[in-house]
Amino acid sequence: MSFRTTADYVEDVSPGGGALPPRAWYAASDAKSLSLNGSWRFRLSATADAEDDTFAEPGHDTGDWAEVTVPGHWVLQGHGAPIYTNHLYPFPVDPPRVPTENPTGDHVRHFDLPADWPADGAAVLRFDGVESCARVWLNGTDIGEFKGSRLPHEFAVGHLLRPAGNVLAVRVHQWSAGSYLEDQDQWWLPGIFRDVTLLHRPAGCVLDFFVHASYDHVSGEGTLRVDSDTDGRVTVPELDLDLATGESATVPVEPWTAETPRLYDGVLATEGERVPLRIGFRTVELSDGLIKVNGTAVLFKGVNRHEWHPERGRALDPETMREDVLLMKRHNINAVRTSHYPPHPAFLDLCDELGLWVIDECDLETHGFTEQGWRDNPVDDDRWTPALLDRAARMVERDKNHPSVVMWSLGNEAGTGRGLTAMAEWIRGRDASRLIHYEGDLDCRDTDVYSRMYAAHAEVERIGRGLDGGTHKRRALPFIQCEYAHAMGNGPGGLADYQRLFEAYERLQGGFVWEWIDHGIRHPELGYAYGGDFGEELHDGNFVCDGLLFPDRTPSPGLAEYKKVIEPVGFDGDGDGGTVRITNKQDFADLSALAFEWSYQVEGETAESGSLAVPPLAPRASAEVKLPEPPAPHPDGGETQWTVRAVLAADTAWAPRGHVVAWSQFPVTARQAPAVAATARPVRGADRITLGPAAFDARTGALLSIGAVAVRDLRLDVWRAPTDNDDGASWQDDVRHGPLWRRLGLHRMRHRLDAVETAGDTLTVRTRVAPAAWEFGLATVYRWTSDGTRLKLTVSVVPEGDWTVPLPRLGVRFALSAADEVRWFGGGPGEAYPDTRAASMTGRWRSTVDALQTPYVRPQENGARAGVRWAELGGLRVEGDPEFWLTARRWTTEQLDAARHLTDLAPGDAVWVNLDHGQHGIGSQSCGPGPLPGYFLRAEPAEFSFVFTETG
Ligand code: IPT
């Protein structure tokens, strides 16, 4: 036995040595297997060669070692710390060299074979994912080493196994040459983070196999052929099929689509093994410049999914994977890009079963080379090509039998180069049945689809019209946005505007929101940690928290908005017309799975409801459907509207009967603005002015109370705690409003008092609101009137000077000493802003002040409710003229702005209420474009009123 400390393989560009060729992955067969997941002995050293390999010897005493759970990352189990960088390599760029400081985790697992483990046959040891480089020993014998973190590696080990006392030793290095290929925007998390399994390989077992199951949409027939390295038979009882491997059969079938995920159970039986198959018949092609499945163009309503769990990192359990798919299906999402690596293979089984289109992306990103103009990029350096081809092959071979996978993606943000071309060529040769995607290939030399990220609406429209130019090849290709609508913090804004474009232009085949889930790490003091919270010398802060789900998988308002925007049923109509046009926006399924309901609201309360008969429209078809006779008009002339809903008619695999899939509202009778007859007169006392129920400070004109309710600090407010999208990404060269607002001092506006006047029925307070150092400002006049019980405030704002920026918000804010329950009539139940309000449903809602808050991992403006007619909280009722935006929180905007984590926010002794006439749009500038100009809150003359009544 020779003991070695050399770790040359770590910095070797080769993918490794000793592993078996890649092959199809399957979870179950009748061959025995043994999971080696669980508790492993663990020792961390600071460098790759600090320890020799004697630890791999069967007799080595690991009794005093620590323990870690496999699958897992040691940095999330108390050994070392995670590092977050977006694209910067957290080590000097000198490929393929890595730092001497290279955390190295020695893992040891002792195991016995189960009593029924067959004595004959071979065995394979399978690692489904190890970051970033591992060397493996079984019973003291070195069996090889590998790189390619999110890809499987198998080793033949039968000759080394013993019935009892086996010692599996795995040395894992955090950094390796492979790290240069794995520069994805995520936490660096070393460890054995996916399953380790020992597979018995009986004589005559299944090796690799490729299920070819196509669908001819003209004949309605499917053709099945299973190629297998080991000859055998394929049976599909439901189709009465019993074929030899390599033989094909064509029979009538129901096709697989993401909307109708029809799978047929089959078996591949060789002499030594039976492997269950789940066969989906479908054909993917590029035809007429469009991505078609089964002859029909598809519209992707997708998300980018990283694997994430707030405690376990990228070590995902089956329940979490299923939860992701269920949440996607329940939110009308029909597609996933597995950004930016092949996911745990069980996730793809779920996509097959429940129905999602998948772009399976290779574990490849070299984004950090952008800092040196992409010089020395491994994807353009032949020495690295074997490693790239190895990665492509490991992905394709592993995942080729999933009907859900419709495109292979070469990787992400890796520039361009010969290595990528080689990958594309290899993939095409191996699997011509799917399309190839890669966003970095702007000319589409290697790809079948023109793909971009974060293109602004105007450019997307130009592409839709075919006016974008580009290479000849590109002009004939369909377009997708593989990333758009950056869901960092509050937002993304503008989703509805993108969706309108996707639906209007055939060439635009949809997109994938960035991204599914915030990668926050549960932290004892900080709630959820993000970049910098572990003392990293380089990091990218909360850029890692940019998902539609919070880290604990609670849907954010962005997901509610996305669900509404991509709903599969369209409703067009006007309330008066008595009809609504219903459109099936799906690509494959008719509407028979849905039931339709109508309801009629008076002042937001449902007066009547019933079911609506809608024909089972074919995909893309529409029909005019009659609404019932509207109930008699409300005697007081209240506001009325129709609400129509499409719900699941029966339980499905992903949601129960009654689950709301789509909805719309149509106003019938418009709202009447609140009217207050100014019958009371302001009365000046020594230090108070009273007007109806209200008392004011006689010197400053400040409101003090309404009846018994104390009100403090009511004044104009233009500031909001900038959102991540307000702040914008540092690389944006166009206008970023957050930093501008701060530079101009909108967070420190001064309020100059010019006059307190009582004349006739009105108390008038004249002010000028402006920041230090600048000459622009807002002439602001507050006019108060009352009818004795109700108090009306009218605010007039006239901008003065040269306003070069829009306002964050425009309204009043004040403090109440207490408020808990909140009731309102307006948009709800969730948060909304001008370009994120599609999901805001007009109705009567109630909440608490605490529940109005949206817990963005980095605190920022949140929680506004749109279109509020009236609200009640803290003993007051407020009616708006016009409707307003309502926000209430237990801290000030300044405190919200200063907080870095939610745990920095502590309730004070007041509830701060903002009643806004306007809010600036949200946009998506934390990575992409800002809000569309139509959502700007421009500094313009404005007048708005609120009527306050004490509710007692
Ligand atoms: C794009 C990356 O592909 C993705 O991994 C993520 O970093 C995202 O941005 C931002 O969260 S790259 C973008 C900077 C163009």
Side-chain angles (χ1 to χ4, degrees), residues 84 86-87 183-186 304 306 337 339-340 361 365 367 412-413 439 453-454 482-483 486-488 514-515 543-544 546 729 731 926-927:
Y84 167 57
N86 167 12
H87 75 279
D183 191 24
Q184 292 93 343
D185 173 9
Q186 59 179 349
N304 281 278
H306 266 289
R337 172 177 179 234
S339 55
H340 298 303
E361 189 151 273
E365 173 158 343
H367 204 167
N412 183 60
E413 292 281 12
E439 185 268 352
M453 36 175 87
Y454 309 103
C482 68
E483 293 177 26
H486 199 246
M488 185 179 180
W514 187 267
E515 69 175 305
F543 201 62
V544 78
D546 52 0
W731 60 83
S926 54
C927 191

Side-chain angles (χ1 to χ4, degrees), residues 311-647:
E311 278 142 19
R312 295 189 294 275
R314 288 188 286 276
L316 253 56
D317 55 289
E319 295 71 40
T320 303
M321 295 184 224
R322 180 170 283 271
E323 195 182 345
D324 275 351
V325 178
L326 293 178
L327 279 167
M328 288 177 193
K329 294 292 289 185
R330 289 174 191 155
H331 289 89
N332 295 331
I333 288 164
N334 73 0
V336 185
R337 172 177 179 234
T338 69
S339 55
H340 298 303
Y341 40 81
H344 189 291
F347 177 77
L348 298 176
D349 288 336
L350 293 165
C351 295
D352 295 343
E353 175 192 324
L354 294 159
L356 288 169
W357 307 115
V358 176
I359 300 183
D360 195 356
E361 189 151 273
C362 199
D363 191 4
L364 174 63
E365 173 158 343
T366 61
H367 204 167
F369 285 87
T370 187
E371 293 295 323
Q372 51 195 60
W374 294 102
R375 197 165 18 75
D376 298 326
N377 184 359
V379 309
D380 202 23
D381 177 338
D382 293 339
R383 286 171 298 176
W384 291 83
T385 304
L388 304 184
L389 290 174
D390 180 72
R391 284 167 190 252
R394 287 188 188 280
M395 168 179 73
V396 171
E397 300 301 5
R398 192 195 76 165
D399 296 341
K400 60 186 179 287
N401 295 326
H402 290 282
S404 55
V405 175
V406 292
M407 280 194 239
W408 301 115
S409 177
L410 303 180
N412 183 60
E413 292 281 12
T416 51
R418 300 190 294 282
L420 289 163
T421 303
M423 289 171 81
E425 280 169 2
W426 184 88
I427 293 173
R428 259 184 236 290
R430 178 61 176 144
D431 177 22
S433 74
R434 294 177 172 94
L435 306 181
I436 292 185
H437 169 271
Y438 174 60
E439 185 268 352
D441 181 13
L442 272 187
D443 294 338
C444 302
R445 281 182 316 183
D446 300 326
T447 60
D448 299 310
V449 42
Y450 177 30
S451 174
R452 290 281 304 282
M453 36 175 87
Y454 309 103
H457 297 82
E459 184 182 7
V460 170
E461 177 148 34
R462 243 177 6 256
I463 296 168
R465 290 182 190 274
L467 302 176
D468 57 305
T471 56
H472 225 270
K473 180 177 172 202
R474 188 177 99 183
R475 280 183 249 165
L477 294 183
F479 176 80
I480 63 166
Q481 287 237 70
C482 68
E483 293 177 26
Y484 79 113
H486 199 246
M488 185 179 180
N490 187 335
L495 280 171
D497 307 277
Y498 276 116
Q499 196 61 28
R500 264 194 292 280
L501 296 173
F502 295 158
E503 290 177 12
Y505 298 99
E506 201 180 31
R507 187 187 186 196
L508 309 180
Q509 292 197 263
F512 297 76
V513 166
W514 187 267
E515 69 175 305
W516 177 236
I517 184 169
D518 288 341
H519 312 205
I521 295 180
R522 186 109 58 208
H523 188 284
E525 285 93 46
L526 302 174
Y528 290 109
Y530 50 79
D533 289 335
F534 298 98
E536 303 104 292
E537 68 178 4
L538 280 181
H539 67 82
D540 287 287
N542 67 314
F543 201 62
V544 78
C545 291
D546 52 0
L548 295 171
L549 297 180
F550 294 111
D552 66 356
R553 289 191 154 67
T554 310
S556 79
L559 185 55
E561 179 77 0
Y562 196 37
K563 174 187 178 182
K564 178 74 181 79
V565 161
I566 58 177
E567 60 190 12
V569 181
F571 303 91
D572 296 285
D574 59 90
D576 305 339
T579 62
V580 49
R581 173 160 286 277
I582 293 185
T583 305
N584 179 0
K585 294 181 165 191
Q586 299 174 106
D587 298 321
F588 299 93
D590 68 21
L591 288 187
S592 56
L594 302 179
F596 289 78
E597 299 169 351
W598 63 268
S599 59
Y600 188 81
Q601 285 86 36
V602 178
E603 290 289 298
E605 291 206 284
T606 296
E608 287 185 41
S609 62
S611 61
L612 198 61
V614 175
L617 297 168
R620 306 281 166 93
S622 65
E624 199 85 27
V625 173
K626 217 172 149 28
L627 290 167
E629 274 307 301
H634 196 253
D636 314 331
E639 180 177 356
T640 59
Q641 65 179 13
W642 295 104
T643 301
V644 286
R645 288 184 173 85
V647 303

Side-chain angles (χ1 to χ4, degrees), residues 824-877:
W824 74 98
F825 172 28
E831 160 187 306
Y833 289 82
D835 54 348
T836 64
R837 63 182 295 184
S840 182
M841 181 187 255
T842 302
R844 294 272 189 113
W845 305 103
R846 53 171 78 215
S847 177
T848 59
V849 169
D850 292 333
L852 287 178
Q853 315 308 310
T854 306
Y856 294 115
V857 172
R858 186 191 73 82
Q860 53 195 278
E861 166 65 27
N862 73 85
R865 299 309 192 264
V868 177
R869 283 77 164 152
W870 56 256
E872 290 178 358
L873 76 169
L876 288 182
R877 178 183 172 93

